[in-house]
C-alpha cells in the first residue's frame, strides 16, 4: 500500500529521475476530485484504469463526479474506492474513510452515546423509588384498614335463656370415677369359618357317613392337632408364583433380604418393609442372607414355621422342611382314612354276626 503523504522533501525533487508523487486525497475538496487529480497526474485513462481494477467505466466516472446515486450497493462502492486508490498508489484506508464521511450510511440506526441510558436511570431513580414506596404503603394501609374493620368488640350472648341442662350441676350417678373392666384379649390373627356340608352328600360321594361314631371320633382326634398361623399377605409379594413355591419369607419389621445363588449372583435383593414377602422357587440352590433373622417369619406350605434360624440360611433346608411337612400331612390323612375304613368294616362285621340268619317259613299240613 502506498503512503499518501502529499509532499516530498526538496532533495528528492532535485534528482533527475524524480517524479512527483500522487497528490493527497485529504487536500482535495471532495473524494472524487482527489481521485480524478491522481488519475490525471498518473497519465492513465479511464479505460486503462477500468481494465486494471475490473470496474466499469461508468462507475469510475460516477466516483470522480461524486455521483453516489449512480453507484450500486454500499458494499460494492467501498470495494471500488479501495481498488481505485490501490491502482493509483493512494492510501486505500484513507480513501474509504473519506467516502464514508462524504456518503454516510442512512440505513443504520443512530445509537445513543455511551452513558446516556445510565444517566437517565440516575436522573429518574428517585421518582421510581418514591413511586414504589407509595404503592407499598398503600397496599399495607389497605390491609390494615380491612383488618380493623373485621375486628368486633365483645358482645353479650344471643341466648335468651340458659338451658336447663346447664344449670343442673352434677348429673346423678356420675359424680364419681367411672369403673372400667379389665381389657379383653385381642381377637385372633385369622379365623377360618366352618365348611357347610350338605346332609347326605358327603356320605354319597366319599362313602363315609359323617354321623358314624368312628368318623366323629377320628375327626375329634384330628382336630386336636395344633394348627399354625396361616400366611396373610400384608404388602407386596415378590418371587415365584403361589403355585410354584412352598416357602414364603415375610418381614415382621423392616430389614434387608438378599438371596444369592451358588455362584454369588444375587437372585433377589430388597430392603423389605413390614408385611412384604418373598416366595422361594422350587429346585433352586441359593442362600438367604438377612440383616436380622428375628425380623422375618417363615411359612411352610402356607403355615407359620417360625423365624429364620440364622443370618445365612440355605434355601434347600427350608424347601426340605416344607416337603417333609407336606409328606407328614399326607401320611396322616391316609392313616386316618384307613382307620375309618377299618372301623367301619369291623362295625359292619359285628352287626352281621348279631343279626340271625333268615329262615323261610315251613308249610304245615
Amino acid at each position: 500500500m502506498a503512503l499518501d503523504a502529499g509532499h516530498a522533501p526538496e532533495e528528492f525533487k532535485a534528482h533527475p529521475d524524480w517524479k512527483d508523487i500522487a497528490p493527497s486525497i485529504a487536500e482535495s475538496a471532495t473524494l472524487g476530485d482527489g481521485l480524478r487529480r491522481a488519475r490525471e497526474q498518473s497519465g492513465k485513462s479511464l479505460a486503462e484504469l477500468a481494465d486494471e481494477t475490473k470496474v466499469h467505466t461508468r462507475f469510475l466516472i460516477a466516483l470522480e463526479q461524486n455521483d453516489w446515486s449512480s453507484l450500486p450497493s454500499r458494499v460494492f462502492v467501498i470495494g471500488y474506492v479501495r481498488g481505485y486508490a490501490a491502482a493509483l498508489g493512494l492510501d486505500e484506508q484513507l480513501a474509504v474513510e473519506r467516502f464514508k464521511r462524504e456518503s454516510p450510511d442512512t440505513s443504520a440506526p443512530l445509537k445513543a452515546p455511551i452513558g446516556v441510558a445510565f444517566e437517565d436511570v440516575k436522573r429518574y431513580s428517585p421518582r421510581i423509588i418514591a413511586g414504589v414506596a407509595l404503592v407499598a404503603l398503600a397496599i399495607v394501609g389497605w390491609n390494615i384498614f380491612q383488618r380493623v374493620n373485621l375486628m368486633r368488640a365483645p358482645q353479650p350472648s344471643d341466648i335468651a335463656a340458659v338451658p336447663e341442662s346447664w344449670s343442673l350441676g352434677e348429673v346423678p350417678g356420675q359424680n364419681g370415677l367411672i369403673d372400667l373392666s379389665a381389657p379383653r384379649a385381642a381377637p385372633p390373627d385369622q379365623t377360618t369359618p366352618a365348611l357347610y356340608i350338605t346332609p347326605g352328600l358327603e356320605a354319597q360321594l366319599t362313602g363315609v357317613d359323617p354321623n358314624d361314631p368312628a368318623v366323629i371320633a377320628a375327626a375329634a382326634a384330628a382336630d386336636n392337632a395344633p394348627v399354625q398361623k396361616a400366611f396373610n399377605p400384608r404388602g407386596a409379594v415378590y418371587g415365584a408364583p403361589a403355585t410354584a413355591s412352598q416357602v414364603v419369607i415375610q418381614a415382621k419389621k423392616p430389614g434387608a433380604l438378599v438371596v444369592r445363588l451358588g455362584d454369588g449372583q444375587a437372585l433377589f435383593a430388597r430392603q423389605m418393609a413390614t408385611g412384604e414377602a418373598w416366595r422361594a422357587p422350587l429346585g433352586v440352590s441359593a442362600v438367604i442372607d438377612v440383616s436380622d433373622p428375628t425380623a422375618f417369619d417363615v411359612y411352610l406350605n402356607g403355615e407359620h414355621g417360625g423365624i429364620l434360624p440364622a443370618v445365612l440360611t440355605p434355601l434347600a433346608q427350608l424347601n426340605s422342611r416344607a416337603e417333609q411337612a407336606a409328606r407328614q400331612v399326607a401320611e396322616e390323612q391316609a392313616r386316618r382314612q384307613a382307620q375309618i375304613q377299618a372301623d367301619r368294616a369291623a362295625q359292619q362285621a359285628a352287626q352281621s354276626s348279631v343279626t340271625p340268619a333268615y329262615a323261610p317259613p315251613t308249610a304245615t299240613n
Side-chain angles (χ1 to χ4, degrees):
M1 180 186 294
L3 296 177
D4 190 12
H7 299 281
E10 295 297 333
E11 58 270 19
F12 292 165
K13 295 182 179 180
H15 196 276
D17 296 334
W18 167 254
K19 184 178 180 181
D20 194 10
I21 61 177
S24 175
I25 297 178
E27 296 177 355
S28 302
T30 62
L31 174 64
D33 294 340
L35 295 177
R36 179 175 50 78
R37 286 176 54 192
R39 180 181 60 79
E40 292 174 352
Q41 187 172 354
S42 66
K44 296 181 180 180
S45 64
L46 289 174
E48 294 175 352
L49 197 61
D51 292 339
E52 186 176 352
T53 59
K54 308 303 179 183
V55 180
H56 201 275
T57 307
R58 69 173 183 273
F59 295 148
L60 297 179
I61 296 174
L63 286 176
E64 292 182 354
Q65 295 179 357
N66 298 315
D67 186 9
W68 314 126
S69 61
S70 299
L71 295 171
S73 62
R74 188 177 182 84
V75 177
F76 290 100
V77 175
I78 292 176
Y80 296 165
V81 172
R82 191 182 299 276
Y84 200 129
L88 297 177
L90 302 176
D91 190 344
E92 302 175 16
Q93 188 62 31
L94 183 61
V96 172
E97 294 296 332
R98 184 73 182 270
F99 167 74
K100 290 182 178 179
R101 287 197 303 269
E102 294 182 6
S103 177
D105 187 7
T106 57
S107 62
L110 297 177
K111 297 182 179 180
I114 298 175
V116 173
F118 182 70
E119 292 295 335
D120 292 342
V121 172
K122 290 178 61 178
R123 185 185 309 167
Y124 294 106
S125 58
R127 301 178 185 178
I128 296 175
I129 295 174
V132 173
L134 288 177
V135 173
L137 289 176
I139 294 174
V140 173
W142 174 257
N143 290 334
I144 295 176
F145 177 73
Q146 292 293 331
R147 290 180 178 272
V148 170
N149 287 341
L150 293 176
M151 295 175 60
R152 298 178 59 185
Q155 298 179 1
S157 176
D158 296 335
I159 299 178
V162 178
E164 182 180 359
S165 59
W166 292 10
S167 60
L168 292 178
E170 296 181 354
V171 179
Q174 295 186 3
N175 52 357
L177 297 177
I178 300 176
D179 296 333
L180 298 178
S181 60
R184 296 183 178 181
D189 188 25
Q190 180 178 356
T191 57
T192 303
L195 297 176
Y196 174 77
I197 301 175
T198 303
L201 181 61
E202 183 178 1
Q204 183 177 359
L205 295 177
T206 62
V208 178
D209 187 4
N211 297 323
D212 193 348
V215 176
I216 296 175
D223 291 339
N224 293 332
V227 178
Q228 301 297 330
K229 179 176 63 175
F231 170 65
N232 183 18
R234 297 192 301 274
V237 180
Y238 306 96
T243 56
S245 176
Q246 293 178 329
V247 178
V248 179
I249 300 175
Q250 186 178 39
K252 297 193 296 183
K253 57 183 179 180
L257 173 63
V258 180
V259 182
R260 294 186 178 88
L261 299 176
D263 56 356
Q265 184 180 2
L267 176 63
F268 178 80
R270 182 178 177 82
Q271 180 69 25
M272 305 290 284
T274 303
E276 292 184 343
W278 177 74
R279 288 195 182 99
L282 296 173
V284 176
S285 178
V287 177
I288 301 174
D289 185 359
V290 295
S291 57
D292 182 10
T294 61
F296 294 91
D297 284 329
V298 178
Y299 291 88
L300 306 176
N301 300 319
E303 293 187 2
H304 186 257
I307 61 176
L308 285 174
V311 175
L312 297 176
T313 305
L315 181 58
Q317 177 182 350
L318 300 179
N319 284 328
S320 177
R321 287 177 52 189
E323 293 176 0
Q324 184 179 0
R327 285 197 302 269
Q328 291 178 356
V329 171
E331 292 175 357
E332 181 65 23
Q333 291 179 352
R335 187 187 61 80
R336 283 185 290 172
Q337 187 69 20
Q339 183 66 31
I340 292 174
Q341 295 291 344
D343 293 344
R344 184 176 182 183
Q347 184 178 5
Q348 290 178 355
Q351 290 178 357
S352 61
S353 61
V354 172
T355 304
Y358 174 75
T362 57
T364 56
N365 294 327

